[in-house]
Amino acid sequence: MTARRRQEGTSVIPGNLHVPEDCRAVSEVLSRVGDKWTILVVSELGNGSRRFNEIRRSLGSISQRMLTLTLRGLERDGLVTRTVFPTVPPRVDYELTKLGRSLLEPVSGIGLWARQNRAAIQDARQRFDAAVGSAA
Amino acid sequence: MTARRRQEGTSVIPGNLHVPEDCRAVSEVLSRVGDKWTILVVSELGNGSRRFNEIRRSLGSISQRMLTLTLRGLERDGLVTRTVFPTVPPRVDYELTKLGRSLLEPVSGIGLWARQNRAAIQDARQRFDAAVGSAA
DNA sequence: CTGGATCCATAGCGATACTG
DNA sequence: CAGTATCGCTATGGATCCAG
């Protein structure tokens, strides 16, 4: 039970994820990035500074509550800055930090993949469902 | 409600995500990729074909149920193949498809970012919590 | 060994109402 | 406009038991 790793793979990807330490790191980031809204918000902010309701409308379907929570989380993790203008009515601007912008690159990779392979996924899904349906 | 896109940004990232159509695509993929286990499983399978309990042990903490569900989902979406050997005891191998391997690249991008910036995030988190704590 | 079925606890998230 | 607070539903995910 000491060494049960397979040696065959020699790591196709440029950094192993199966080391426990890395697993935690990835899982942590994933629970931030992988939630329902983070990537969309970050992507929107990738186009420049935005006000609260601007983001809200640009995403269309996000609830006020979730946008607040998402932005709070991003702010907490140092990915966006929150600038309050003490005017009336109040105005709050959100903007990506350097760290936040650095996330834009890997995130856009996922986004690109998503758009390129969505059709393939939907197709596979239909085939799978059909097969399961007929088998049952 | 016809055209509410800003023109200023000129898209830092190589593909806009704020088009409704793309938003759905990304959200879809995200709900598959962004769950608690998919990325870890895909990463592990990136090193080669694996049996059910091999994956299970390599991740350590995943429950049997969730591994089954995750693999089923991945199979449904055409990202992994499931090969059953009708032996006794039964043996089932999982392996990434071409589509699955193509996901490995953007995923490893996220993984890389995670490892590189985990410290920065944790740091920002502590500062934020300290600030909020003192403000309250 | 692989994995289905069930029970249960919690987290996520939307809807709504209220405040500065 | 930009939040906060509360409620309630649903999805997620773990534990456990059962079966081929």
Side-chain angles (χ1 to χ4, degrees):
Chain A
M1 210 181 282
T2 48
R4 50 172 151 69
R5 285 238 323 266
R6 288 250 189 122
Q7 300 302 339
E8 46 157 296
T10 61
S11 190
V12 179
I13 49 179
N16 305 351
L17 296 174
H18 43 294
V19 180
E21 172 195 342
D22 291 342
C23 276
R24 284 189 292 107
V26 173
S27 294
E28 266 185 45
V29 173
L30 240 61
S31 47
R32 160 113 320 284
V33 161
D35 72 51
K36 204 176 174 185
W37 301 109
T38 293
I39 286 201
L40 284 323
V41 171
V42 168
S43 297
E44 174 64 16
L45 289 178
N47 295 321
S49 177
R50 289 287 186 275
R51 300 182 56 175
F52 187 86
N53 274 345
E54 282 182 330
I55 306 172
R56 189 153 145 71
R57 275 188 296 269
S58 86
L59 301 188
S61 53
I62 191 173
S63 68
Q64 191 183 39
R65 170 191 154 84
M66 287 319 296
L67 183 52
T68 300
L69 290 180
T70 301
L71 287 170
R72 273 275 193 264
L74 289 172
E75 187 194 1
R76 185 168 105 103
D77 289 353
L79 297 173
V80 309
T81 57
R82 179 170 179 273
T83 311
V84 182
F85 299 89
T87 59
V88 46
R91 170 201 177 117
V92 182
D93 276 21
Y94 293 91
E95 190 171 11
L96 289 181
T97 63
K98 187 168 156 53
L99 186 61
R101 279 191 299 277
S102 77
L103 177 59
L104 224 46
E105 196 170 340
V107 153
S108 70
I110 294 282
L112 192 63
W113 189 91
R115 288 193 297 283
Q116 288 176 340
N117 300 99
R118 182 164 60 125
I121 289 180
Q122 286 179 333
D123 198 48
R125 215 173 268 191
Q126 287 186 354
R127 270 184 284 112
F128 183 89
D129 292 346
V132 170
S134 65
Chain B
M1 210 182 285
T2 48
R4 49 173 150 69
R5 284 234 328 259
R6 285 251 191 123
Q7 300 303 338
E8 50 156 292
T10 62
S11 189
V12 179
I13 48 180
N16 305 351
L17 296 174
H18 43 291
V19 180
E21 170 196 344
D22 291 341
C23 275
R24 284 188 294 105
V26 173
S27 294
E28 266 185 45
V29 173
L30 240 59
S31 47
R32 161 113 318 285
V33 161
D35 71 50
K36 205 176 175 184
W37 301 109
T38 294
I39 286 201
L40 283 324
V41 171
V42 168
S43 298
E44 173 64 16
L45 288 177
N47 295 322
S49 176
R50 289 286 185 274
R51 299 183 57 176
F52 186 86
N53 273 346
E54 280 182 331
I55 306 173
R56 188 153 146 72
R57 276 189 295 268
S58 87
L59 301 188
S61 53
I62 191 173
S63 69
Q64 189 183 42
R65 172 190 151 86
M66 287 320 296
L67 182 52
T68 300
L69 290 179
T70 301
L71 287 169
R72 271 278 192 261
L74 289 171
E75 187 195 1
R76 186 167 105 104
D77 289 354
L79 298 174
V80 309
T81 56
R82 179 171 180 273
T83 312
V84 182
F85 297 89
T87 60
V88 47
R91 170 201 177 118
V92 183
D93 276 21
Y94 293 92
E95 190 170 12
L96 289 181
T97 63
K98 187 167 155 55
L99 186 61
R101 279 190 300 275
S102 77
L103 177 59
L104 224 47
E105 195 170 343
V107 153
S108 70
I110 294 282
L112 193 62
W113 190 91
R115 286 192 299 280
Q116 287 175 341
N117 300 101
R118 181 165 60 124
I121 289 180
Q122 286 180 333
D123 197 49
R125 217 173 266 192
Q126 288 187 353
R127 271 185 282 112
F128 183 88
D129 292 346
V132 169
S134 66

